[in-house]
Amino acid sequence: MTRIRVPDELAATQLKYNGEAGRAFITALPARTADFLDHWNLRVDGPAMHGVTALVLPVVRADDTPAALKLQLLDAESEGEPTALRLWNGNHAVRLLDHDPTTGTLLLERLDHTRMLSHHPDAHEATQVIADLLAHLTSVPAPPGIRTLGDIATRMLNETPQALRHLPAAPETRTLLQDCASALREVAPDPGDRLLHWDLHDENVLAAHRAPWLAIDPKPLAGDPGFDLWPALDNRFDPDDITWRFEALTATLSLDRERARAWTLARVLQNALWTIKDGDPLNTQNLELAHRLRHLTNKKPRSAGS
C-alpha cells in the first residue's frame, strides 16, 4: 500500500484555517490517499504537490492515462467544485474524471503544473487570458445548490459595522471600507445568477496539451461576474495598471463597469473582514486598489438587466 507524507506546510495551513477539522483531515490523509489510489486503481507518478488546503498527487490510471488526485477538506468553498467542473465539462476549465461526494476527493485530468500563468512575462497578456477564461466560465447559469453571492453579500453587510467599530486604523481607512460597503449595498439586491469561479488568480490557470490555458480550483458561487475580477487586478499588483486591467476585464466580459466596480469593492471589503476577524493588519495593496477604483467614476450602478 502506498503511503504518502503530508507536507508540513499543508498541515500548518489546515490547522491555522480549519482548526480541529483541519487536524483531523491531516491525520486521516495518508490512509485516505491510499484508499483512493486503490479504489480508482491509480499509481503515483511523481512528487506530491499542495496549495493552501489540498494535496495533489500526479497519478496514472489503469489505462495509462495521466491524471491528478486531489484530496481536500470538504467545506462550503470546496463542496461545489465537482458540480461546477461537470457543468463546464472541460470547456476552459480542467476536466473532472471522477469524484467522491462523501470526502470531496477529485480525480482530474493532468495539466502542466510547471506552466502556470503566473510565469507569463507579460502582465497585460496574462490579464487578458483570465478575462477570456472568465468570459466563458461565467456565461453559464449557476445550477441549483451552489452557494449564492446574495447570501454572502448579506453577511458582509451585517458584519461590517461591528468589524469597523473595532478596527484600529486611521479614519481614512475606515471611511474607505465604509465606501466599499456602500457600493455593495447598491448592488446587493441584484446579486446575479452566473456560475462564478471566485478564485481565478494567475496560479489557478495552467497550460495543457488540449488548450493553451485552463482554469483550476474553482470555489463556485452563483452571482454577478463582477465579483470575479479582483484576482486579476491583484496579480502582480501595479497601482498604475489598475485602470487598464479593469477596462480590459469589463470589456471582454461585456460587463456594466459601474456594477463591476461595486462588486470589486465588495471583494476588497470581504478580504478586509476576513483580515479583521483573524486579527491581522489590513492589506495595504487591497486598500490602494479600493482607493483607485473608488475614484474611477462616480456614476450610480445600473441594474443587471439594464
Side-chain angles (χ1 to χ4, degrees):
M1 181 172 68
T2 302
R3 300 286 290 185
I4 60 103
R5 178 185 175 277
V6 178
D8 293 340
E9 297 88 349
L10 178 59
T13 55
Q14 278 289 346
L15 187 59
K16 176 181 178 180
Y17 294 115
N18 297 310
E20 286 306 311
R23 188 193 304 276
F25 169 73
I26 292 298
T27 300
L29 192 51
R32 180 178 296 178
T33 303
D35 287 344
F36 277 102
L37 290 172
D38 181 63
H39 176 63
W40 283 328
N41 198 9
L42 308 170
R43 67 178 188 275
V44 178
D45 190 38
M49 298 167 284
H50 68 90
V52 175
T53 61
L55 181 76
V56 179
L57 280 174
V59 295
V60 177
R61 305 178 84 182
D63 62 0
D64 290 329
T65 303
L69 179 65
K70 181 178 181 180
L71 300 112
Q72 59 190 347
L73 179 66
L74 188 61
D75 58 17
E77 289 190 357
S78 63
E79 66 180 356
E81 184 174 358
T83 302
L85 293 178
R86 279 214 173 95
L87 196 57
W88 287 324
N89 193 30
N91 184 13
H92 296 82
V94 64
R95 182 170 283 117
L96 178 67
L97 305 177
D98 208 339
H99 99 283
D100 176 65
T102 302
T103 64
T105 302
L106 308 178
L107 187 64
L108 304 165
E109 72 171 308
R110 178 103 61 92
L111 306 184
D112 188 348
H113 71 278
T114 68
R115 291 193 291 155
M116 287 182 181
L117 185 59
S118 58
H119 301 158
H120 195 291
D122 189 313
H124 280 193
E125 289 184 9
T127 299
Q128 192 60 55
V129 167
I130 290 179
D132 291 339
L133 290 173
L134 286 176
H136 287 87
L137 299 177
T138 62
S139 68
V140 178
I146 294 290
R147 61 189 179 138
T148 70
L149 180 53
D151 288 345
I152 290 171
T154 298
R155 285 198 297 272
M156 281 197 283
L157 291 173
N158 289 340
E159 292 170 5
T160 296
Q162 175 78 2
L164 294 187
R165 272 196 296 270
H166 298 284
L167 178 64
E172 57 268 24
T173 299
R174 188 175 288 105
T175 298
L176 180 63
L177 294 177
Q178 287 171 337
D179 287 347
C180 291
S182 295
L184 172 58
R185 199 170 290 111
E186 288 283 337
V187 293
D190 188 7
D193 65 353
R194 300 291 95 182
L195 181 56
L196 308 185
H197 183 287
W198 185 82
D199 197 27
L200 198 60
H201 55 77
D202 58 8
E203 291 187 356
N204 274 344
V205 180
L206 299 182
H209 292 301
R210 67 177 178 87
W213 300 105
L214 294 172
I216 66 168
D217 201 23
K219 306 291 188 289
L221 290 175
D224 190 299
F227 199 65
D228 255 356
L229 305 188
W230 172 81
L233 299 171
D234 185 64
N235 292 160
R236 290 181 263 187
F237 184 72
D238 179 352
D240 295 328
D241 205 33
I242 289 171
T243 298
W244 184 93
R245 295 190 197 186
F246 182 76
E247 297 292 351
L249 289 160
T250 54
T252 301
L253 275 74
S254 300
L255 299 181
D256 177 277
R257 65 198 300 274
E258 304 309 321
R259 289 185 58 81
R261 184 179 73 101
W263 283 117
T264 304
L265 291 173
R267 280 293 288 269
V268 172
L269 177 64
Q270 184 181 54
N271 294 336
L273 290 173
W274 286 338
T275 300
I276 294 167
K277 183 177 180 180
D278 291 341
D280 296 328
L282 291 175
N283 185 304
T284 56
Q285 183 170 301
N286 253 326
L287 297 178
E288 179 63 19
L289 173 58
H291 176 74
R292 299 279 180 131
L293 283 181
R294 182 177 60 171
H295 295 292
L296 191 62
T297 179
N298 291 316
K299 293 181 182 178
K300 184 176 179 179
R302 301 198 303 269
S303 68
S306 63

